[in-house]
Amino acid sequence: MGKILIFAGTTEGRLLWEECDKRAIPITASVATDYGETMLPLSKYSDIVTGRLTCEEMKNFIEEGNYTLVLDATHPYASFVTENLKKASQETKAKYVRIIREAVQTLEGIFVDSVQEAAEYLNHHPGNALLTTGSKELKEYTKVTDYTTRLTARVLPDAEVVRQCTSLGFQGKHLICMQGPFSAEMNYLMLKETSSDYLVTKEAGTYGGFSEKLEGAKRAGAKLLIIRRPGAETGVTLFEAMELVQEHHNTSES
């Protein structure tokens, strides 16, 4: 029986990594950035590889490492990574398992289908906004009138991320660099401190801190501007994924 590979970079990936370490189950975690690597605690059983991979590179890595179980714990909005990983697993005949993030059901908030639509909405509605959708698509918000004074971006405390944000005009008190998870109280305080009328978020689900954002926005009297997920996903929960890992490990040991 081959080895176990997890594509991490999310809370689910970190929790799975930590649980495998507790159970002394060796795995390999793949993360895109050096910062992502720092989020995984040191393990004497497992190892980490860092760097973004193309589909062909994923395929070669799976084959050369003799990985027969591939777990996809990448972000729900990183659909291109998921598609590449599915294809690479299929071509190498490795078992592919998608770990899905359970959604938090709510009828509250304003729903849009993309960051572009969120920016367009803000451009046509007055008020300040706290952006919690990450740094990758932050450029879209520069299309909002007076964005440097109306919008505040909350991003990861990574040097390259900070450089990108400041180059786009997000700086000073309009740039918050912190690592989550954030409590409802922290979200509330940030909304009040930035005088935000909106909290812009992706439909992140339980492990993405969505409930805490919802509660914080309610307390602050701010509206949620919610970017829907790209599409319905099928897969397993974090608990189910851990059971699959344990089963695979037991089979390998027998």
Side-chain angles (χ1 to χ4, degrees):
M1 184 68 70
K3 297 184 291 184
I4 303 169
L5 173 64
I6 176 172
F7 278 72
T10 58
T11 301
E12 291 90 334
R14 176 179 58 78
L15 292 173
L16 189 62
W17 168 272
E18 291 175 350
E19 186 61 27
C20 285
D21 188 61
K22 289 178 184 176
R23 302 189 190 188
I25 299 176
I27 62 171
T28 297
S30 173
V31 295
T33 64
D34 291 337
Y35 184 80
E37 182 177 352
T38 66
M39 293 297 100
L40 299 179
L42 292 175
S43 170
K44 64 180 180 180
Y45 306 106
S46 304
D47 59 293
I48 305 170
V49 293
T50 306
R52 302 184 191 279
L53 302 176
T54 64
C55 183
E56 189 63 25
E57 288 170 335
M58 289 176 180
K59 177 183 173 182
N60 292 338
F61 189 78
I62 293 169
E63 283 183 331
E64 292 169 7
N66 189 31
Y67 295 104
T68 54
L69 176 60
V70 177
L71 297 136
D72 180 0
T74 59
H75 199 278
Y77 289 78
S79 54
F80 65 100
V81 178
T82 290
E83 288 306 312
N84 283 342
L85 194 49
K86 279 182 182 178
K87 183 179 179 182
S89 300
Q90 183 178 21
E91 292 183 1
T92 56
K93 295 182 171 53
K95 181 177 181 179
Y96 169 85
V97 177
R98 174 62 170 152
I99 301 173
I100 55 173
R101 179 173 287 181
E102 298 175 85
V104 176
Q105 301 299 320
T106 181
L107 296 176
E108 301 182 53
I110 302 149
F111 286 84
V112 294
D113 290 321
S114 65
V115 169
Q116 291 85 348
E117 286 189 16
E120 185 177 350
Y121 180 92
L122 292 173
N123 202 32
H124 290 88
H125 293 80
N128 297 339
L130 176 62
L131 311 176
T132 67
T133 53
S135 60
K136 288 183 181 178
E137 297 177 281
L138 202 57
K139 187 176 181 180
E140 291 295 330
Y141 295 106
T142 63
K143 299 173 184 177
V144 177
T145 302
D146 298 326
Y147 76 93
T148 57
T149 55
R150 290 179 55 201
L151 308 182
T152 299
R154 187 171 78 190
V155 298
L156 293 172
D158 177 81
E160 179 58 24
V161 169
V162 173
R163 188 196 66 76
Q164 292 173 1
C165 293
T166 54
S167 70
L168 291 172
F170 292 92
Q171 51 192 319
K173 66 180 182 180
H174 292 280
L175 181 62
I176 300 172
C177 303
M178 292 181 68
Q179 169 67 40
F182 298 98
S183 65
E185 177 71 12
M186 181 65 79
N187 286 316
Y188 162 75
L189 291 172
M190 287 185 181
L191 287 164
K192 296 300 288 184
E193 185 66 27
T194 57
S195 301
S196 291
D197 304 283
Y198 299 94
L199 189 156
V200 187
T201 178
K202 293 179 178 178
E203 199 175 10
T206 305
Y207 290 109
F210 187 84
S211 296
E212 290 78 8
K213 290 177 182 178
L214 179 60
E215 184 181 339
K218 279 183 181 178
R219 287 184 56 195
K223 297 177 182 177
L224 278 187
L225 183 54
I226 305 165
I227 300 169
R228 294 187 183 93
R229 294 189 185 187
E233 283 193 304
T234 57
V236 302
T237 64
L238 179 60
F239 175 80
E240 291 169 333
M242 192 60 237
E243 294 307 300
L244 285 172
V245 168
Q246 184 68 66
E247 181 182 337
H248 188 280
H249 176 67
N250 292 345
T251 303
S252 299
E253 292 289 289
S254 61

